[in-house]
Amino acid sequence: MTSTQRTHADQLAEPWSGVPEWLRVRGLRWTPQRRLLIEVLSGIDGHVTGADLVERCRMLDPETTPSTVYRTLDVLEEIGLVQHGHGADGREEYHVLPAVEHGHLYCGNCGAVEEISEGEVAAVVELFDSRHAFAVDGSHITIVGRCGSCLSASRA
Amino acid sequence: MTSTQRTHADQLAEPWSGVPEWLRVRGLRWTPQRRLLIEVLSGIDGHVTGADLVERCRMLDPETTPSTVYRTLDVLEEIGLVQHGHGADGREEYHVLPAVEHGHLYCGNCGAVEEISEGEVAAVVELFDSRHAFAVDGSHITIVGRCGSCLSASRA
DNA sequence: ATTAATGCAAACGGTTTGCACTACT
DNA sequence: AGTAGTGCAAACCGTTTGCATTAAT
């Protein structure tokens, strides 16, 4: 059997299943460390900081090295599975699966993050597209303010 | 003359003119270093990074020390003349005179920053206020995307 | 056998801190 | 004189880099 076989150890959740193949096609390699990071990423919805990813990886494998994580994130960004940008708290932040247009409402008081619907993202995109000839990156929208519970807490 | 005299050396542009007084009232001090920073800040419209402020101060006085700048920024934040938060590029950023509602369109490609009108800020604030019970901080809005010139450049 | 990827350790940039000294009041 | 503010230098944190080693192909 010289055909490309896939063992069950390579089974990954949907958007990630093509990664090993994508890598091998261009002579890159599918390593345990990369597999670990993918595993962590697949459990994340929306966004994470780099430091957070390092920490989560270390929870599964204490041997994890920051440089390896960041380097792998670079290649994943090339594939388009993550996209790094600014975070509401200032640090580098990775958006997982940026293909899905979404945004966040970040509470500057308690740090809570709320998702913005696609429709609302579209409204923002359109607002600035028409008036400024500015193409809003729908996957990067972060609005800072006070969340509902902090508002009512401060009223109490 | 025991009265509180102000020499012309203390004349500052409007929003900043009360700073020396504010400081002295609570036993804090009005120093050349603080005056320098105020001078730099008064020439800034909208926002700056801490590192940028350090650099600008050094242009006027090469002796400027980062720690002094940051410590003074803390004091000014207490007065409410600046407000620090996230920057579109990830670093700590200071909003000057945050009382004025405004926002920025940040080009992720070339780094250009365009101002958002008050009306547009209001539109965004309202959008999320009504649907999420989320009080948008109008002085913190930053939208990331591609500016007009980068768009036409990539089409060329 | 190749050569990509790893782990280490050191370097980085922006910001913060401890401490002895300076200078505003 | 008293004490807030300064400058220095070192520490900090998250991220990046160089390089020799390991391991996927």
Side-chain angles (χ1 to χ4, degrees):
Chain A
M1 15 159 121
T2 56
S3 68
T4 312
Q5 272 198 183
R6 198 93 314 131
T7 74
H8 65 288
D10 277 331
Q11 305 304 350
L12 298 171
E14 215 0 87
W16 309 99
S17 57
V19 178
E21 186 60 18
W22 189 95
L23 291 171
R24 282 197 260 256
V25 162
R26 37 213 97 194
L28 304 179
R29 292 164 190 181
W30 184 232
T31 67
Q33 295 83 345
R34 291 181 171 182
R35 175 162 227 292
L36 176 61
L37 178 56
I38 295 280
E39 224 161 86
V40 169
L41 282 171
S42 69
I44 282 170
D45 182 28
H47 63 295
V48 241
T49 63
D52 194 12
L53 285 171
V54 171
E55 200 183 324
R56 285 173 193 248
C57 284
R58 266 208 242 263
M59 285 170 59
L60 299 177
D61 175 3
E63 310 283 76
T64 303
T65 298
S67 48
T68 299
V69 172
Y70 286 107
R71 283 192 277 233
T72 299
L73 284 168
D74 287 347
V75 346
L76 294 179
E77 183 152 26
E78 253 161 73
I79 308 181
L81 289 175
V82 303
Q83 193 171 102
H84 81 286
H86 59 293
D89 55 355
R91 338 188 198 193
E92 283 293 303
E93 186 161 280
Y94 288 86
H95 286 256
V96 182
L97 301 176
V100 181
E101 296 239 322
H102 71 284
H104 299 113
L105 297 177
Y106 174 83
C107 178
N109 191 229
C110 70
V113 176
E114 207 170 320
E115 295 275 332
I116 296 174
S117 76
E118 225 175 304
E120 288 162 320
V121 170
V124 173
V125 170
E126 198 186 335
L127 177 62
F128 298 107
D129 180 51
S130 53
R131 301 203 211 170
H132 288 267
F134 186 93
V136 173
D137 180 343
S139 64
H140 270 228
I141 295 175
T142 297
I143 305 284
V144 181
R146 291 284 179 272
C147 72
S149 43
C150 282
L151 284 176
S152 42
S154 66
R155 268 194 287 270
Chain B
M1 17 162 120
T2 55
S3 69
T4 312
Q5 271 199 184
R6 199 94 310 132
T7 73
H8 65 287
D10 277 332
Q11 305 304 350
L12 297 172
E14 215 359 88
W16 309 98
S17 56
V19 178
E21 187 59 18
W22 190 96
L23 291 172
R24 283 197 260 254
V25 162
R26 35 214 99 194
L28 305 178
R29 292 165 191 181
W30 184 234
T31 66
Q33 295 83 346
R34 291 183 170 179
R35 175 161 228 293
L36 176 61
L37 179 56
I38 295 281
E39 224 162 86
V40 168
L41 282 171
S42 70
I44 282 170
D45 183 29
H47 63 297
V48 241
T49 63
D52 194 10
L53 285 171
V54 171
E55 200 183 324
R56 286 173 193 246
C57 283
R58 266 208 242 264
M59 284 170 60
L60 299 178
D61 175 3
E63 309 282 76
T64 303
T65 297
S67 49
T68 299
V69 172
Y70 287 108
R71 283 192 276 233
T72 299
L73 284 167
D74 288 346
V75 173
L76 294 178
E77 184 152 26
E78 253 161 73
I79 309 183
L81 289 175
V82 303
Q83 193 171 101
H84 82 286
H86 60 294
D89 54 355
R91 341 188 195 188
E92 284 292 304
E93 185 161 283
Y94 289 85
H95 287 256
V96 182
L97 302 177
V100 182
E101 298 239 321
H102 72 283
H104 300 114
L105 297 176
Y106 175 82
C107 178
N109 191 230
C110 69
V113 176
E114 208 169 322
E115 295 275 334
I116 297 174
S117 75
E118 226 175 303
E120 288 162 319
V121 171
V124 173
V125 170
E126 198 186 335
L127 177 62
F128 298 106
D129 180 50
S130 54
R131 301 203 211 170
H132 288 268
F134 187 92
V136 174
D137 180 344
S139 65
H140 270 226
I141 296 175
T142 298
I143 305 285
V144 181
R146 291 282 178 275
C147 70
S149 42
C150 283
L151 285 175
S152 41
S154 66
R155 268 195 288 270

